[in-house]
């Protein structure tokens, strides 16, 4: 029996959450090694497993896989969530890359300065409703299928549902003018593996709060001023 994938990260969403989502959608059980201190992270670096001394990292199939997109592409391909041919994979990539842009904005939002939060929130919501969701509304309407690409669940669908729920955490009712996206959300949320992942007590991580932010800063020894400049 093959070993379960092992995920190395802190106890929060960050860039690992999309990996959790994709494994859950594929029905794959996994284990997590969650850092609590800077020493935990440093010990992993000293092990020589981290190619760039960065996480996330996933151990599976005899590999120590780093870089978020590489991890997600491997999982999507392995579990038939990456289209049936090169054309479909390219379309999935285009959708996912756009979603990652929105995902990253939301992921970094809890780390923003208090006096900047409202401005950044307004910007995220404007981009979601004016640039990104219109694309997926049109795609679902034009494609006329239950999913974004082909006629089966793909990485793009899983990523879209994750992003939808993240935006709704920031502002409820944001899908009111996107009926096709609303239907998509309801439909995909009912798929057994995803429905299970959305239940309380699942490995899905809660929205980042101030406590999580402080833990992340401690583990990765982040200087707040430099971190915010980098954002």
């Amino acid at each position: 029996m093959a070993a379960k994938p092992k995920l190395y990260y802190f106890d929060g969403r960050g860039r690992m959450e999309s990996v959790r989502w994709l494994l859950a959608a594929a029905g794959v059980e996994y284990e997590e090694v969650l850092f609590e201190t800077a020493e935990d992270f440093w010990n992993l670096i000293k092990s020589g497993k981290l190619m760039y001394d960065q996480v996330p990292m996933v151990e599976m199939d005899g590999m120590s896989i780093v870089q978020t997109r590489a991890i997600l592409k491997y999982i999507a391909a392995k579990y038939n969530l990456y289209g049936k041919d090169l054309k479909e994979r390219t379309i999935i990539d285009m959708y996912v890359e756009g979603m990652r842009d929105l995902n990253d904005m939301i992921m970094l939002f809890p780390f923003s300065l208090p006096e900047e939060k409202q401005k950044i929130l307004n910007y995220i919501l404007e981009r979601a409703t004016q640039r990104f969701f219109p694309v997926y509304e049109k795609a679902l309407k034009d494609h006329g299928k239950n999913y974004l690409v082909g006629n089966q669940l793909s990485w793009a669908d899983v990523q879209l549902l994750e992003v939808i729920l993240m935006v709704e955490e920031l502002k409820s009712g944001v899908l009111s003018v996107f009926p096709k996206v609303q239907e998509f959300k309801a439909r995909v949320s009912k798929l057994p593996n995803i429905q299970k992942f959305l239940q309380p007590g699942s490995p899905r991580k809660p929205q980042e709060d101030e406590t999580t932010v402080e833990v992340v800063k401690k583990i990765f020894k982040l200087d707040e001023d430099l971190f915010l400049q980098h954002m």
Side-chain angles (χ1 to χ4, degrees):
M1 186 175 181
K4 295 178 182 178
K6 186 176 290 187
L7 283 52
Y8 292 80
Y9 210 55
F10 63 89
D11 191 10
R13 289 181 178 177
R15 298 191 183 282
M16 186 65 89
E17 190 69 359
S18 293
V19 177
R20 298 182 183 107
W21 267 91
L22 201 56
L23 287 170
V28 178
E29 294 184 358
Y30 55 87
E31 300 174 356
E32 296 198 70
V33 177
L34 301 173
F35 309 139
E36 295 181 0
T37 65
E39 184 179 8
D40 293 338
F41 179 48
W42 180 242
N43 286 337
L44 182 60
I45 291 175
K46 289 193 294 184
S47 74
K49 294 180 178 180
L50 292 179
M51 185 179 291
Y52 301 108
D53 293 347
Q54 296 173 328
V55 287
M57 183 185 82
V58 175
E59 288 183 336
M60 62 186 300
D61 298 339
M63 297 185 292
S64 297
I65 313 174
V66 297
Q67 297 298 306
T68 309
R69 287 173 177 78
I71 295 168
L72 291 167
K73 284 186 176 186
Y74 183 80
I75 293 168
K78 179 178 175 70
Y79 296 108
N80 196 30
L81 294 168
Y82 205 12
K84 69 178 187 296
D85 54 30
L86 181 60
K87 181 178 179 180
E88 286 195 356
R89 290 195 292 275
T90 301
I91 297 170
I92 289 169
D93 283 342
M94 288 193 294
Y95 286 143
V96 167
E97 289 302 313
M99 295 171 202
R100 292 305 308 175
D101 289 345
L102 182 55
N103 184 297
D104 285 352
M105 291 183 216
I106 300 171
M107 179 185 68
L108 293 172
F109 175 64
F111 294 87
S112 55
L113 292 169
E115 62 269 25
E116 297 287 328
K117 279 190 180 295
Q118 189 59 52
K119 183 173 72 173
I120 294 172
L121 174 60
N122 292 341
Y123 179 76
I124 291 171
L125 294 174
E126 185 271 331
R127 300 300 272 180
T129 57
Q130 299 299 316
R131 168 168 286 190
F132 293 104
F133 287 167
V135 169
Y136 308 122
E137 179 75 12
K138 183 178 186 299
L140 290 163
K141 182 178 179 181
D142 292 349
H143 189 49
K145 305 289 186 181
N146 287 337
Y147 305 105
L148 281 169
V149 182
N151 198 25
Q152 68 178 40
L153 185 72
S154 76
W155 173 20
D157 301 305
V158 179
Q159 185 79 70
L160 178 55
L161 180 58
E162 180 189 359
V163 168
I164 288 170
L165 296 180
M166 291 173 73
V167 175
E168 287 186 323
E169 287 175 338
L170 300 178
K171 183 179 179 181
S172 61
V174 74
L175 296 183
S176 60
V177 296
F178 303 106
K180 291 296 182 183
V181 177
Q182 287 185 65
E183 293 170 6
F184 169 89
K185 173 195 166 187
R187 183 168 56 247
V188 176
S189 295
K190 292 178 182 177
L191 296 175
N193 287 337
I194 291 178
Q195 189 175 46
K196 181 180 178 181
F197 189 64
L198 292 174
Q199 295 301 309
S202 83
R204 185 184 178 214
K205 303 301 180 184
Q207 188 176 15
E208 256 85 31
D209 56 18
E210 291 182 4
T211 301
T212 309
V213 170
E214 291 306 313
V215 169
V216 170
K217 289 178 181 177
K218 180 180 70 174
I219 291 173
F220 299 111
K221 296 184 177 179
L222 296 174
D223 177 273
E224 184 168 4
D225 290 336
L226 289 175
F227 182 74
L228 292 170
Q229 289 174 27
H230 177 68
M231 286 170 60

